[in-house]
């Protein structure tokens, strides 16, 4: 009689341990070694995440959701209808860390003012090891391991900085700007006496050590005058304080 031995299916060359990220496509193709090869193979996932699929060519596809973090173990069964082989998989699904509390995108400090901010973080993974890093920033700015950002605003105008929060797999960045402001100074001297029925005019001028606009680093700093308190008829027009006096304004 003739004894026929069917060749086994060897899957040992496949990588079986992976790291995937939330909302990113995970894909891996199954390599099958069989001599001589069969003409057709069937693939089946056992105990896999519900939204994971394997196609007829042995390609596994999965987009992990935010609710599917941490460790997953499952198996892949491969058969040619006679021989069968099982391949165990382990996948760690990582969620990028979140900087949950941070300074405003544009922070304005007065010259010499001290800035202190406690950054806060959040990570969906149970055992995430988070690390703060200051990628760039003005001279002497400091970010410690606890996420405390410190700086003293001694240099005027705009200063950009970038913070990174890393969990060893994925990272998140925050880019902010600190504007250091010097208070403008009115350098013009006002007239303090005006006669009745005369028009009082006072040309306003001021100096400001800032060269950049606080809202736009590419724009020149502009000084604007506003009348906070004064007689009813007094106005500021084109940087001139004007007041038409009469007998009722003594």
């Amino acid at each position: 009689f003739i004894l026929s031995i069917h060749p086994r299916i060897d899957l040992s060359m496949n990588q079986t341990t992976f790291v995937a990220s939330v909302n990113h496509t995970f894909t891996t193709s199954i390599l099958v070694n069989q001599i001589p090869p069969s003409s057709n193979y069937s693939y089946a996932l056992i105990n896999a995440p519900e939204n994971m699929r394997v196609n007829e060519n042995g390609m596994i596809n999965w987009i992990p959701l935010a609710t599917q973090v941490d460790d997953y173990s499952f198996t892949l069964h491969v058969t040619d209808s006679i021989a069968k082989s099982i391949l165990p998989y382990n996948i760690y699904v990582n969620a990028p860390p979140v900087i949950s509390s941070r300074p405003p995108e544009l922070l304005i400090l007065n010259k010499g003012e001290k800035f202190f901010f406690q950054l806060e973080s959040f990570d969906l993974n149970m055992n995430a090891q988070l690390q703060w890093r200051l990628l760039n920033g003005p001279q002497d700015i400091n970010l410690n391991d606890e996420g405390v950002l410190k700086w003293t605003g001694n240099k005027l105008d705009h200063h950009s900085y970038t913070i990174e929060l890393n969990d060893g797999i994925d990272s998140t960045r925050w880019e902010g700007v600190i504007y250091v402001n010097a208070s403008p100074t009115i350098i013009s001297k006002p007239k303090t006496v005006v006669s009745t029925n005369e028009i009082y005019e006072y040309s306003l001028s001021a100096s400001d050590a800032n060269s950049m606009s606080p809202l736009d680093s590419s724009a020149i700093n502009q000084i604007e005058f506003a009348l906070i308190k004064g007689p009813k008829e007094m106005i500021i027009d084109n940087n001139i304080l004007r007041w038409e006096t009469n007998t009722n304004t003594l």
Side-chain angles (χ1 to χ4, degrees):
F1 67 97
I2 298 175
L3 179 63
S4 177
I5 300 176
H6 192 78
R8 70 184 184 91
I9 298 174
D10 180 15
L11 304 177
S12 63
M13 74 294 297
N14 286 278
Q15 179 181 345
T16 58
T17 301
F18 295 92
V19 174
S21 294
V22 166
N23 295 327
H24 287 74
T25 300
F26 167 79
T27 301
T28 185
S29 295
I30 310 305
L31 301 176
V32 176
N33 184 29
Q34 188 182 36
I35 303 174
S38 296
S39 59
N40 187 53
Y41 299 101
S42 297
Y43 305 90
L45 292 168
I46 308 299
N47 295 323
E50 62 179 352
N51 52 333
M52 180 180 284
R53 301 289 184 267
V54 60
N55 65 19
E56 60 185 9
N57 298 315
M59 178 175 287
I60 297 175
N61 287 278
W62 185 33
I63 302 178
L65 304 176
T67 55
Q68 296 176 308
V69 297
D70 294 327
D71 292 296
Y72 280 85
S73 296
F74 60 94
T75 57
L76 176 74
H77 291 198
V78 181
T79 181
D80 62 0
S81 298
I82 300 175
K84 180 179 180 180
S85 188
I86 298 174
L87 190 64
Y89 279 92
N90 293 284
I91 299 180
Y92 178 82
V93 179
N94 189 66
V98 176
I99 302 175
S100 55
S101 179
R102 57 203 183 192
E105 188 173 352
L106 174 62
L107 174 71
I108 297 179
L109 298 179
N110 291 320
K111 185 178 181 182
E113 184 179 354
K114 293 184 182 297
F115 170 60
F116 178 100
F117 192 91
Q118 174 65 66
L119 297 159
E120 295 182 5
S121 62
F122 174 75
D123 198 299
L124 290 171
N125 292 97
M126 293 181 59
N127 300 314
Q129 300 294 318
L130 302 182
Q131 181 181 17
W132 294 101
R133 291 180 60 202
L134 182 66
L135 300 183
N136 58 68
Q139 185 176 2
D140 299 327
I141 194 170
N142 178 262
L143 176 64
N144 67 18
D145 292 340
E146 286 71 44
V148 175
L149 186 64
K150 296 180 182 180
W151 190 54
T152 300
N154 288 322
K155 188 176 180 182
L156 296 178
D157 295 325
H158 290 269
H159 306 276
S160 60
Y161 64 96
T162 305
I163 292 168
E164 181 183 83
L165 181 62
N166 193 301
D167 63 9
I169 299 172
D170 294 307
S171 63
T172 300
R173 291 185 179 183
W174 163 252
E175 296 182 355
V177 174
I178 301 173
Y179 181 82
V180 180
N181 184 62
S183 298
T185 302
I186 297 176
I187 58 176
S188 55
K189 302 297 182 182
K191 295 187 298 181
T192 58
V193 177
V194 63
S195 298
T196 303
N197 295 322
E198 285 187 355
I199 296 177
Y200 174 84
E201 289 188 340
Y202 164 38
S203 181
L204 299 163
S205 61
S207 66
D208 194 325
N210 289 96
S211 60
M212 300 177 182
S213 165
L215 301 180
D216 184 355
S217 61
S218 63
I220 298 174
N221 191 36
Q222 300 288 336
I223 297 177
E224 296 181 358
F225 297 95
L227 183 63
I228 305 301
K229 184 179 180 181
K232 182 178 179 181
E233 299 83 3
M234 183 176 284
I235 62 171
I236 294 178
D237 181 24
N238 196 27
N239 294 342
I240 296 177
L241 183 66
R242 181 175 287 109
W243 182 30
E244 295 186 14
T245 66
N246 54 55
T247 56
N248 296 321
T249 56
L250 294 176

